[in-house]
Amino acid sequence: MTITTPVVKTGEMPRDPGGLLFVALGLVLVAAGFIWRGRVLRPLSAKRAQAAVIRDRSRNLLRSADMAIAEARRRAAHGEPAIVTVGDVTTVACRHYGLIVEREEAAAALRQRYEAADCRLDCMTDSFN
């Protein structure tokens, strides 16, 4: 009993339309990604774009308040309360996100994050005045 296996001649590729189609689709996707790489898409509506800007600004302002609280806690010595000021929040917002923030707006964000992070135990702030 002998076992025979089909032999493919060298230089001749097997015909597989599914594999060829898969490779062609991949090349098309790579070419499309290369062409459209880095382009900013125009928003569909001005109202949605403005809402996204407002949402990003408030999120970044809250993150700035969180970062200011974390930095004040790192600076504080053991057993000493951390002092977080509204100026710290405006400085972090400007340095990290390029935001120019009003004092009242920064104070509101700091109050919100101060209460959410339970800072009454180990922090002091000037945002409530």
Side-chain angles (χ1 to χ4, degrees):
M1 177 173 190
T2 55
I3 300 174
T4 59
T5 57
V7 177
V8 178
K9 294 179 185 177
T10 52
E12 187 178 314
M13 292 188 59
R15 292 182 177 93
D16 184 14
L20 184 62
L21 183 64
F22 183 74
V23 170
L25 181 63
L27 289 175
V28 168
L29 288 175
V30 167
F34 184 74
I35 290 171
W36 287 307
R37 175 187 53 157
R39 287 191 187 171
V40 176
L41 297 177
R42 191 170 50 101
L44 297 177
S45 74
K47 287 170 75 175
R48 288 178 61 191
Q50 186 177 11
V53 167
I54 292 169
R55 193 171 48 247
D56 288 343
R57 179 180 168 82
S58 65
R59 183 183 322 121
N60 290 339
L61 186 56
L62 291 175
R63 285 181 185 160
S64 298
D66 285 336
M67 291 183 345
I69 290 170
E71 180 62 31
R73 283 180 170 165
R74 277 192 294 272
R75 281 191 315 238
H78 182 69
E80 177 181 290
I83 300 172
V84 186
T85 63
V86 176
D88 294 339
V89 175
T90 57
T91 302
V92 170
C94 183
R95 188 177 343 130
H96 285 278
Y97 300 108
L99 297 175
I100 305 300
V101 181
E102 297 283 331
R103 181 172 172 76
E104 294 81 21
E105 193 177 10
L110 181 56
R111 279 191 301 270
Q112 183 179 353
R113 301 314 295 168
Y114 184 86
E115 291 169 356
D118 200 22
C119 289
R120 293 192 186 277
L121 303 174
D122 64 341
C123 296
M124 293 174 34
T125 184
D126 63 347
S127 65
F128 289 99
N129 302 21

